[in-house]
Amino acid sequence: MSLYWRILLLNAAVLVVAVLLLLGPVTVSTPVLFGEALVLIAGLVVMLIANAVLLRIGLAPLGRLTRAMAAVDLLKPGGRAPVTGPGEIAELTSTFNTMLARLEAERATSSGRALSAQEAERQRLARELHDEVGQTLTAVLLQLKHAADRAPRSVREDLRHAQETTRGGLEEIRRIARRLRPGVLEELGLHSALRALTGEFTTSRLSATAHITPGLSRLAPATELVLYRIAQEGLTNTARHAGATRVEVHLRPLSDGRVGLLVRDDGHGIGAVPEGAGISGMRERALLIGADLHIGAGPLGGAEIRLNVAGGPAGARSQENAR
C-alpha cells in the first residue's frame, strides 16, 4: 500500500471514530436527531475529501521524484528532478540531484579509465598481430613459394592455392590490426582516417562515402579518437544489421561553434530493438568528452547517429574535465 493511502486511511479512521463518538455517548441529543446525523455525516464526507485533496497535493513532489528516479540513465546525463514541495521533500529532491551529479562524474571518470585501458589493449593486440602473427604468415608465404618453385607439377597447383589462402589470411590480419589501432588517425588526422574507414566498408552491396567540410581545425587527440570509434561502430552496425545499400559519414561545423559527426544509412532502421553493447559503448565514449549523442531514425528512413562535440580548445577542455 502506498504512503498516500496509508495516511488517508489512518486519517479516515480517526475521523470515523470521532463521528461515532458524537453519534453515541458524546452527542448533544438523545436520541440522535436526523438533522444532527446528516450534518455530521456531511461534515465527515467533506473532511475526507479535503484530506484526500491535501494529501494528493502534499505528496505530489514525492511522486515526481519517484518518476525522475525511475527514469535516470547515467549514459544520458543532465536530467534532474525539479526541486518543489515542503522543506523536507525539497531537501530530499536536492540531495538526490546532488547524488546524481556525483554518480555521473564518477561514471565519466570510470568510463574514461576503462576506455583508456581498452585502447591500450587494442594497441597491444594490433602490435602482436602485425609483428608476430603477420611475420609468421609472411615466412610461411616465402616457404610455400620456395616449395612451389621446386615441387613437381602435380603438387605445384595445390601449393599455389595454399599461397593464396595464406596471403588472404595475412591481409585479413592486417585489416583487423588497422581497425584495432587506426594508425592513419595518428599519422594523418581524423579527416583522412574517416575517408579510409569508409573505403574499408565499401563493398559491392554497400556504398560508404565520407563528406568532410574543408577547413575544419584539428581537435584534441582523445576527441578525434572518440569521433573515429563512434563512426566505426556506426558503420559496423550498418554493414552487419541495417540491410542498407548506402551509408554516409558527415563531419561538419555547427552554428553554435561545435563540430558535428553524422552517420546516416538507408536501411530498415533501429526500430524497437533494445540497445546493445555497441550503442552503450558509443554513449560511454560520448559521455567521456562531454558530447551530445543522438541515435534514432533518419528523415528518409534508416538509422541516424548524431554526435555534437565542442571544437578546438573547447574539445580539449571537455576531455580534461571528463578526466
Side-chain angles (χ1 to χ4, degrees), residues 129-143:
L129 285 174
H130 184 272
D131 297 340
E132 297 182 13
V133 181
Q135 290 181 3
T136 300
L137 288 179
T138 301
V140 171
L141 272 176
L142 294 175
Q143 293 173 358

Side-chain angles (χ1 to χ4, degrees), residues 116 185 219-229 285 288-289 315-316 319-320 323:
S116 297
L185 178 63
L219 302 172
T223 301
E224 290 193 348
L225 180 60
V226 169
L227 290 169
Y228 179 86
R229 290 301 187 194
R285 291 183 183 277
L288 177 63
I289 60 174
Q319 174 64 18
E320 292 300 325
R323 291 179 181 175

Side-chain angles (χ1 to χ4, degrees), residues 269-281:
I270 298 177
V273 178
E275 294 186 357
I279 294 180
S280 297

